[in-house]
Amino acid sequence: MKDLSLYRNIGIFAHVDAGKTTTTERILKLTGKIHKIGEVHDGAATTDFMDQEQERGITIQSAATSCEWDGHRMNIIDTPGHVDFTIEVYRSLKVLDGGVGVFCGSGGVEPQSETNWRYANESEVARIILVNKMDRMGADFYRVVDQVKNVLGANAMPMTLPIGIEDDFVGVVDLLSRKAWTWDDTGDPTKYEITEPPADMLDDVEMYRTEMIEMALEQDDDAMEKYLEGEEPSIETIKACIRKGTTNLDFFPTYCGSAFKNKGIQLVLNAVVDYLPCPTEVKPQPEVDLEGEETGEFAIVDPEKPLRALAFKIMDDRFGALTFIRIYSGKLEKGTTVLNTFTGKTERIGRIVEMHAEERIELESAQAGDIVAVVGMKNVQTGHTLCDVKNPATLEPMVFPDPVISIAVSPKDKAASEKMGIAINKMIQEDPSFRVETDEDSGETILKGMGELHLDIKVDILKRTHGVDVIVGKPQVAYRETITKPIEDSYTHKKQSGGSGQFGKIDYIIEPNEVGEGYAFDSKVTGGNVPREFWPAVDKGFKWSMDKGVLAGFPCVDVKVTLMDGGFHAVDSSAVAFEIAAKAAYRQSMPKAGPQLMEPVMKVDVYTPEDHVGDVIGDLNRRRGMIKSQEAGVTGVRIKADVPLSEMFGYIGDLRTMTSGRGQFSMEFSHYAPCPANVAEDVIKEVREREAAAAK
């Protein structure tokens, strides 16, 4: 039996460019997993092994790897920071027990770090913070700590203080032991000295140490009492209190260092071991029934219990499909059969491998608390639960947002079309936020995703990984339609042509529903004018029609239909007749109910140097943006706005031009809002033209 208290499942997450992947590299080096350090900016990092990652210097897929430190086993997941791939962060957080939030010493709390932090709060993941890049120009540890408190509303608890800043950054003072750790300039992480802190820092060390102890001892009333009476608590007591507070998310131990220069990373590793929870210390996952309601049972982390595991990522590589699995309870053994509760089918476990970025180590079995990959599973997708055949249960599934942007692609020649179909199927399995459909009218393949970069990378993967050349159309926005006023109407469907006829009469009200509530159906028929068995058919007819709005054929949302009355014929009425009546009623009444085009509005978070604030705000106004707030930071200004997605294409190029390349932005979907009349006209006209061209 493995000792689960020696396990740490952690993720490293942060904004683009804060140094997550570099930090992961250093951890692997320190723990003896890799001997040569790869650099991100040379395109040689161990965990970024996709071509697209090496070129762009960003992480797209979460890479899983494992290592040992101080007798503890760590499963580390390096997650992407870019906004279009937040889904990767979200699903990684789902299976982690703790995390390391990395912030840039000069950039501080950037837009995307905020989103990631919010996700981690929702998933209730305990974290420690690393303020990285302390050797950079403009790095300021104390400022970042303040930002964490003010912007994220998180209680940062400094555990180390930097010695020197920018080019003079040489090491850190560990507040707990009051010792200074200094490294030489060779970049070798093992060459450090532990000495007394510099004399000019003694006052700061004592002040921050007192703050830290007081914050920690709030977790233990007895220790606090003794402390107030003047008794110094032991290091063990302080550590136990910090661990408790970190696990309860009361505060976040905060460290500083430079991953690139290999300074300060050992202390972060020690903190992972000391303060982040092991699998048995986190809240167990609730089990749900097939309807998604909680059953009151939990997947307890214990190898003796029935198997419960969650597939959280699928990756295709040269060895076949790899399904990454977090085991919550029970054991997974080679050659056994497990049940997938989503499909209701069983799967045989062939090879179980432990991942180290690209290398594989074969295992005979794995148990609760492990993160492993299984080779060659057939029908498993992200978010599916694998469990014991005799004792089934489902874990809470993951929820993925709807895509907001689409592009049409078509293969360059006939030979590529089959290849493209196979490649796209693989990609859908790997990434649940990526959807594909075929346009019925034009026969084009439509790719849908979370943003321009997301689709750009997908097309790139098609070309490179799968060797399919495609012609790409311009990006299309996922508009919706709705109605603005209620309408009361009636429709009778009758058809007599020898043999049995069809008859169905419905009186109904179509009205706007609450925003975000989608389609709803209600029946107020009394007295049996429309028998109860036909109500579902009326509902089905209306529901089916909602897929195509009357203005430009976009899906119709937030509509409520109430069936008031109607009539039926004892012989000629059937479910089909009422369904046809509902479809025709939709076409008849919707144009009268004040139809309106809705467009996706994005929450945009722009960072710009002070000199260019006016230009950026002016440009956002031109893009029909609503400025929500602006906050001045030390290095620049953050502007938050709501902007329609259709106006944001190619924004990054314009922003860089306006801010001489220093501006950054992130955006995520916020809500749907009514389209102004002039914009709606253009969209409807464009759709009509496209349809006319396709009809020729």
Side-chain angles (χ1 to χ4, degrees), residues 247-409:
T247 309
N248 295 340
L249 307 189
D250 291 338
F251 46 70
F252 304 94
T254 303
Y255 291 79
C256 55
S258 160
F260 182 57
K261 296 275 175 55
N262 273 314
K263 293 173 183 173
I265 302 299
Q266 287 95 327
L267 292 150
V268 176
L269 282 172
N270 293 339
V272 168
V273 167
D274 289 340
Y275 308 130
L276 287 182
C278 66
T280 51
E281 289 172 317
V282 283
K283 282 186 191 158
Q285 282 280 328
E287 293 179 4
V288 295
D289 56 17
L290 293 174
E291 301 300 306
E293 298 296 322
E294 290 191 12
T295 57
E297 297 286 315
F298 289 91
I300 308 291
V301 181
D302 179 351
E304 300 307 314
K305 293 265 190 279
L307 174 72
R308 307 277 183 264
L310 185 73
F312 67 97
K313 177 177 172 64
I314 293 174
M315 224 170 88
D316 203 68
D317 72 352
R318 54 187 188 273
F319 299 103
L322 280 173
T323 309
F324 282 85
I325 291 173
R326 160 80 200 258
I327 307 172
Y328 286 104
S329 74
K331 266 197 187 109
L332 191 67
E333 288 176 340
K334 203 168 155 180
T336 52
T337 300
V338 296
L339 173 72
N340 177 349
T341 54
F342 188 82
T343 57
K345 295 184 175 147
T346 54
E347 294 261 357
R348 193 168 170 280
I349 302 289
R351 291 164 56 203
I352 305 175
V353 292
E354 187 176 282
M355 299 291 296
H356 170 65
E358 278 212 299
E359 293 167 37
R360 321 265 179 278
I361 299 157
E362 295 250 351
L363 301 175
E364 287 302 310
S365 71
Q367 63 161 46
D370 272 331
I371 294 181
V372 291
V374 177
V375 182
M377 294 190 108
K378 299 275 186 306
N379 298 315
V380 177
Q381 285 191 354
T382 302
H384 287 184
T385 305
L386 302 174
C387 62
D388 192 4
V389 178
K390 294 190 190 72
N391 191 335
T394 307
L395 298 165
E396 182 190 7
M398 302 182 184
V399 185
F400 297 113
D402 285 333
V404 287
I405 178 171
S406 58
I407 51 172
V409 295

Side-chain angles (χ1 to χ4, degrees), residues 378-625:
K378 299 275 186 306
N379 298 315
V380 177
Q381 285 191 354
T382 302
H384 287 184
T385 305
L386 302 174
C387 62
D388 192 4
V389 178
K390 294 190 190 72
N391 191 335
T394 307
L395 298 165
E396 182 190 7
M398 302 182 184
V399 185
F400 297 113
D402 285 333
V404 287
I405 178 171
S406 58
I407 51 172
V409 295
S410 50
K412 280 199 173 158
D413 49 34
K414 282 274 174 26
S417 105
E418 195 171 311
K419 242 168 105 181
M420 181 169 97
I422 299 168
I424 285 178
N425 270 342
K426 281 185 178 167
M427 285 157 66
I428 294 173
Q429 276 189 329
E430 287 177 17
D431 180 359
S433 60
F434 172 62
R435 315 265 170 89
V436 175
E437 48 191 61
T438 308
D439 188 327
E440 288 166 14
D441 305 328
S442 64
E444 288 178 311
T445 305
I446 312 281
L447 307 185
K448 297 185 165 187
M450 302 312 293
E452 274 186 288
L453 180 68
H454 190 192
L455 291 179
D456 190 28
I457 297 263
K458 293 294 175 210
V459 170
D460 204 35
I461 293 176
L462 270 177
K463 280 186 184 158
R464 293 222 203 145
T465 316
H466 301 285
V468 179
D469 261 343
V470 289
I471 303 161
V472 181
K474 69 177 205 184
Q476 301 289 336
V477 178
Y479 289 100
R480 297 278 184 271
E481 294 182 22
T482 189
I483 53 174
T484 52
K485 54 185 191 224
I487 185 120
E488 198 166 331
D489 214 341
S490 166
Y491 187 84
T492 308
H493 168 70
K494 49 179 191 235
K495 189 174 167 201
Q496 275 328 113
S497 58
S500 64
Q502 288 179 352
F503 180 84
K505 175 175 185 285
I506 51 173
D507 300 344
Y508 53 90
I509 294 175
I510 293 182
E511 57 191 329
N513 201 357
E514 296 289 317
V515 174
E517 290 296 313
Y519 163 76
F521 176 79
D522 189 20
S523 170
K524 293 198 171 145
V525 178
T526 49
N529 287 346
V530 178
R532 192 175 279 273
E533 66 258 32
F534 297 142
W535 293 359
V538 177
D539 178 21
K540 186 176 165 192
F542 276 114
K543 195 171 180 179
W544 182 86
S545 305
M546 292 292 160
D547 278 353
K548 235 175 159 59
V550 289
L551 287 172
F554 293 109
C556 201
V557 292
D558 303 335
V559 175
K560 183 177 181 192
V561 177
T562 310
L563 183 62
M564 300 306 283
D565 203 4
F568 81 110
H569 187 283
V571 178
D572 290 350
S573 282
S574 63
V576 170
F578 276 100
E579 190 178 326
I580 295 172
K583 288 177 182 173
Y586 173 87
R587 288 197 295 276
Q588 166 184 301
S589 304
M590 286 302 269
K592 304 180 214 168
Q596 187 168 47
L597 203 62
M598 308 287 279
E599 58 181 355
V601 174
M602 308 302 276
K603 234 190 337 233
V604 179
D605 192 338
V606 185
Y607 165 81
T608 160
E610 253 172 48
D611 322 347
H612 304 288
V613 174
D615 298 344
V616 170
I617 290 182
D619 179 66
L620 287 171
N621 286 331
R622 273 197 297 283
R623 296 174 187 268
R624 302 193 284 119

Side-chain angles (χ1 to χ4, degrees), residues 125-137:
V125 172
R127 284 145 282 171
I128 56 177
I129 295 174
L130 165 64
V131 178
N132 190 19
K133 301 194 177 180
M134 288 308 298
D135 54 329
R136 281 274 291 269
M137 282 288 293

Side-chain angles (χ1 to χ4, degrees), residues 146 157 292 681:
D146 282 345
M157 179 190 215
E681 275 169 26

Side-chain angles (χ1 to χ4, degrees), residues 645-659:
L645 172 67
S646 57
E647 305 286 341
M648 289 299 290
F649 290 138
Y651 180 60
I652 187 72
D654 295 355
L655 177 68
R656 283 185 182 145
T657 312
M658 276 183 296
T659 59

